[in-house]
Amino acid sequence: MKSGSARAAPGPGGRLRQASSGIATVLAYAAALMAYGFAACFLAGMAGWAGRLP
Amino acid sequence: MTARPRLDDYRIILAYSGRVAIGLGAVYAVPLAVAALEGEWAAFVDLSIGCSASLALGAALASLMPREARPGWLHGMVATAVSWLLAMFLAAIPYRLSGHYASWLDSLFDAMSGFTTTGLTLVQDLDHLSRALNTWRHVVTFVGGQGVVVLALSFLVGGSRGGYELYVGEAKDERLFPRVAHTAKAIWKISAVYLAVGVGALWVAGLSIGLPAKEAFYHGAWVYMAAWSTGGFAPMSQNVGYYHSAVYELVCVAFFLAGSLNFALHHALMTGNRRELARNAEVISFTVTFAGLFTLAAWALAGSGTYGGIATLLRKGFYHVISAHTTTGFMTVAARQFAREWTPLALCAMILAMMAGGSACSTAGGVKGMRVAMLWLAIRNEVRALLLPSHASFRRRIHASGDRDLGDGVVKGAALVALLYVATWVLTTMAGVAAGYSPMDAAFEGASVTGNVGLSIGVTAPGMPAALKVVYLLVMWVGRLEFMAVLALGRFVLSAFGRRRP
Amino acid sequence: MSRVALAPGMAAAALLLAALVPAPAFAEDPPPSAVTDLVERAAELDGRRVALEGEAIGSPMIRDSGAWVNIADRSGALGVWMGAETARGIARFGSYGAVGDTLRVTGVFHRACAEHGGDMDVHADGTIVTAPGRPVAHPVPAGRVVAALALALVAAGAVAALAAFGQDRGPRTPPPGYPGSAKSS
């Protein structure tokens, strides 16, 4: 599947595939944000918890 | 000022509002079906009264359309502002009749909160609400979210010089209404695909956390509608905290994040242009502001000892910051926990996230990533121009579903709307302080109202002063319509009383 | 500075209280707290034994090692983590059609439970039903039915009239002289 300007009308099956690939892309973005969240919790959390130590 | 409106202008505006009311009457079919299916006849009667009132009033108003109607974009904008108000009154009828709201004002507040996809609620004894009325609350927020996207992509196209011009190359197109139908169809298609996927996913998640099959389905449908529309209503008084489940929260995040993305972006992604995600100015803007604000909040929450481990920091910190930034408003803590346990720094990060908001042409509220990106790029361009020799020139562009010129007019529009948001937030905060709430509480709730978020620090409650309820209700309306439609209505009303000019 | 001056007095009061109120030991259960009290005094009560009394709402959610039952009193609702068998023993949960069993739960309160992703909860070790739930009927007021029917007739008439005599949309372009039509030049 070519991205960018290649927008030749796909068949019904192709359209379904494209739609699900669109959803998958959004879910991947969500997963990336969560992965970032995990890393930030790890690093910022460490910094924060370390700062609390007397 | 403008020319004084003619009788036909009033008739066109009322007729369009009437069409919206008829549409609302049709939407009532969903909760009515649930009421019939579940045998909730008391709720059925209440809903049928709301439905009939919408259809009757809608038909009466729609019949006012003049034969030689020539609707322009100002008609569209004024009709939008009027429609939102009319829909609020018509949707509030079954709320008031149900006995779950202390007053008409509370019912209207909830209806406006729903249509604006805010999610603040004044409902009482939510845990004993009928399935039909719960369905209605969530359908209202779902329809409100879809409606505002249609509005953003179509009504405002002709007139505003702000961010919307970017999306629609034919910004000069006068023939708005065929476009509305076309755009609305595309939007409903995208939403329908996500509806099927989302309800299915939440149904499975509900089953996996131990909900009975039927409950899991209803909860899945309700929570999905609130997530996709970045609304933030939930069927139980504990909001998403009712489920006590990381899986359920995770699925919610995926769908309210999807709902906060620009529909033009969804369209690009669903037609094979997946690279748009990484290049889109709004996605970049959201990612950067979210990453920064969440890091700040995580540091503050860890440093204060509010959350003592990575898992709790993720499930409480991450969840609420992304819920705030997408302007969803799902919560898994009690409202007062923000006030009692979150540090001022973490709350400031939340306020900024709520004000920044999601993408333009999405169901999200707030200033919006598009304007944040534009203002950032504009500042960068100014600095760049400062350092170049005076005769040198360069292209000022922004990428969002195609490269667009970032001219002075566009930047001015973005800056004005951003300024209006901040001013509204300041005034709303002052109203809260005047009503006796602490500045931090008032600022948090004010940002939640202005950005149509729905997170609460405990200010919004049935017992709050009625005047503050009215202020919040109006700010939700103004913030949702991004000022332009309401300002158009204001100008229209003023011109009606102004001096007649030839 | 006044805080320092107050401190001895507060300490004395605390000692007095400690002498009067039995420590939250297993010997006697504390009096039931309202959910709002638990929220407002969460830091203070964190990790201590509390009691709360309220209606079981929604559905029990049975998980691998226990079950969640959400309990609501007049002030709010809170999740209670209990044994699956205890949860199965609760006959009725609050919903539109029912008032749920009233439970009196004793257990350890957590402000942000490390075991449960930071949820505020109570891990119950004692759960008793103090009042059974009951079904709730929602009678339909006759007057409202009549009003609804009348309004439905009016609506049907109005829609039919619009469909029969209503006018279709006008031309798509705005009038030349209308304010705003020149705006999008």
Side-chain angles (χ1 to χ4, degrees):
Chain A
M1 200 171 2
K2 228 182 134 199
S3 62
S5 55
R7 301 260 187 95
R15 211 177 296 160
L16 190 71
R17 203 167 54 235
Q18 284 192 337
S20 44
S21 111
I23 293 177
T25 311
V26 171
L27 294 183
Y29 176 53
L33 281 183
M34 287 172 203
Y36 173 78
F38 185 80
C41 279
F42 194 76
L43 294 174
M46 285 300 168
W49 292 314
R52 273 192 91 219
L53 296 176
Chain B
M1 221 43 220
T2 61
R4 194 163 185 163
R6 289 172 294 227
L7 181 64
D8 269 8
D9 298 327
Y10 291 107
R11 288 176 59 177
I12 292 170
I13 287 162
L14 288 175
Y16 274 112
S17 311
R19 286 182 185 169
V20 171
I22 293 175
L24 190 69
V27 173
Y28 261 109
V30 179
L32 280 168
V34 171
L37 211 66
E38 296 293 324
E40 295 171 342
W41 299 112
F44 185 91
V45 171
D46 295 349
L47 286 161
S48 85
I49 290 175
C51 175
S52 302
S54 304
L55 291 175
L57 188 64
L61 290 176
S63 70
L64 293 174
M65 184 63 87
R67 195 166 291 279
E68 290 298 305
R70 297 164 87 72
W73 72 269
L74 186 61
H75 290 113
M77 290 232 278
V78 176
T80 302
V82 172
S83 300
W84 240 264
L85 283 179
L86 183 66
M88 168 186 77
F89 281 102
L90 293 169
I93 292 170
Y95 289 173
R96 180 66 183 128
L97 294 176
S98 73
H100 279 270
Y101 293 85
S103 65
W104 268 108
L105 180 59
D106 288 11
S107 311
L108 295 174
F109 183 99
D110 246 45
M112 185 56 97
S113 176
F115 278 122
T116 58
T117 74
T118 304
L120 291 168
T121 184
L122 294 175
V123 67
Q124 298 183 340
D125 197 15
L126 178 57
D127 300 317
H128 292 101
L129 202 68
S130 61
R131 287 204 174 100
L133 203 61
N134 245 330
T135 305
W136 181 232
R137 291 174 72 229
H138 289 88
V139 165
V140 161
T141 203
F142 188 70
V143 167
Q146 298 304 296
V148 87
V149 176
V150 175
L151 162 81
L153 276 170
S154 6
F155 279 142
L156 294 181
V157 168
S160 86
R161 294 189 157 277
Y164 297 113
E165 261 187 16
L166 289 172
Y167 296 107
V168 190
E170 318 87 327
K172 317 289 189 272
D173 192 354
E174 291 283 299
R175 296 175 302 125
L176 292 180
F177 295 101
R179 292 189 44 83
V180 173
H182 181 76
T183 319
K185 213 171 133 192
I187 286 167
W188 281 107
K189 251 188 212 165
I190 294 171
S191 289
V193 172
Y194 268 98
L195 179 75
V197 176
V199 174
L202 281 169
W203 191 4
V204 172
L207 289 172
S208 79
I209 63 170
L211 287 175
K214 195 163 102 173
E215 287 300 302
F217 175 74
Y218 275 116
H219 282 254
W222 292 329
V223 171
Y224 171 77
M225 284 192 271
W228 173 251
S229 62
T230 66
F233 280 151
M236 306 299 283
S237 61
Q238 290 152 285
N239 207 276
V240 176
Y242 170 80
Y243 304 101
H244 304 282
S245 161
V247 173
Y248 215 80
E249 288 161 21
L250 217 65
V251 178
C252 286
V253 169
F255 289 105
F256 65 62
L257 183 68
S260 83
L261 294 177
N262 195 309
F263 272 72
L265 175 65
H266 276 301
H267 186 74
L269 294 178
M270 283 192 166
T271 49
N273 185 9
R274 284 188 295 170
R275 273 171 46 199
E276 178 63 23
L277 185 80
R279 301 177 61 206
N280 192 287
E282 273 185 301
V283 175
I284 296 168
S285 165
F286 181 88
T287 310
V288 169
T289 51
F290 173 75
L293 290 170
F294 174 62
T295 308
L296 190 68
W299 181 68
L301 290 172
S304 64
T306 305
Y307 299 115
I310 289 175
T312 54
L313 201 51
L314 260 177
R315 284 215 22 214
K316 299 300 167 195
F318 179 85
Y319 188 78
H320 288 112
V321 176
I322 198 159
S323 172
H325 207 324
T326 57
T327 75
T328 306
F330 277 152
M331 296 171 69
T332 60
V333 298
R336 290 297 298 163
Q337 281 185 270
F338 283 127
R340 304 285 308 183
E341 299 173 13
W342 284 47
T343 59
L345 184 61
L347 292 177
C348 286
M350 290 286 278
I351 289 172
L352 281 180
M354 291 194 276
M355 289 302 289
S359 293
C361 295
S362 77
T363 62
V367 172
K368 307 224 166 46
M370 176 55 71
R371 297 199 181 91
V372 174
M374 281 176 174
L375 294 179
W376 164 252
L377 290 175
I379 291 169
R380 215 180 62 176
N381 287 340
E382 288 305 308
V383 172
R384 199 168 152 198
L386 213 64
L387 301 177
L388 284 173
S390 57
H391 55 80
S393 71
F394 56 94
R395 300 254 353 232
R396 293 156 194 247
R397 299 201 301 187
I398 186 168
H399 182 88
S401 303
D403 284 324
R404 310 286 176 177
D405 281 326
L406 190 57
D408 285 349
V410 174
V411 172
K412 191 181 84 183
L416 278 179
V417 174
L419 182 69
L420 282 170
Y421 265 109
V422 174
T424 307
W425 169 66
V426 170
L427 291 174
T428 313
T429 302
M430 282 169 64
V433 172
Y437 295 94
S438 80
M440 186 51 101
D441 286 8
F444 186 95
E445 208 86 354
S448 179
V449 169
T450 312
N452 298 119
V453 180
L455 290 171
S456 176
I457 199 165
V459 173
T460 303
M464 73 197 271
L468 194 57
K469 286 178 192 170
V470 174
V471 169
Y472 280 3
L473 189 154
L474 292 175
V475 171
M476 285 191 273
W477 177 54
V478 171
R480 175 77 283 185
L481 299 180
E482 313 214 349
F483 305 98
M484 288 311 167
V486 176
L487 292 179
L489 174 63
R491 185 179 125 182
F492 185 82
V493 170
L494 275 181
S495 64
F497 296 106
R499 272 191 309 142
R500 184 183 292 274
R501 287 187 192 170
Chain C
M1 292 307 106
S2 59
R3 190 173 287 187
V4 178
L6 275 175
M10 279 167 64
L15 273 176
L16 192 66
L17 273 176
L20 288 175
V21 181
F26 296 90
E28 199 175 327
D29 284 326
S33 311
V35 171
T36 32
D37 285 347
L38 295 178
V39 173
E40 294 292 331
R41 296 167 55 208
E44 173 197 340
L45 294 172
D46 192 19
R48 293 172 68 171
R49 282 178 58 77
V50 298
L52 94 151
E53 187 159 346
E55 177 194 354
I57 49 164
S59 330
M61 284 172 274
I62 314 260
R63 308 280 166 87
D64 287 340
S65 54
W68 284 107
V69 170
N70 290 293
I71 285 188
D73 61 19
R74 285 178 178 281
S75 71
L78 192 71
V80 176
W81 178 246
M82 58 175 70
E85 282 315 306
T86 318
R88 285 198 188 95
I90 301 166
R92 211 184 285 275
F93 284 80
S95 67
Y96 179 62
V99 172
D101 291 352
T102 304
L103 306 183
R104 192 184 158 119
V105 172
T106 49
V108 180
F109 172 76
H110 300 101
R111 179 186 65 80
C113 182
E115 190 186 331
H116 293 122
D119 282 355
M120 179 176 277
D121 65 14
V122 171
H123 288 203
D125 50 36
T127 305
I128 49 169
V129 176
T130 54
R134 58 189 162 78
V136 176
H138 294 273
V140 189
R144 203 174 278 184
V145 176
V146 174
L149 284 174
L151 204 55
L153 282 177
V154 172
V159 172
L162 183 72
F165 310 111
Q167 293 145 354
D168 55 8
R169 282 182 182 181
R172 314 289 193 204
T173 46
Y178 189 76
S181 61
K183 191 76 181 239
S184 44
S185 54

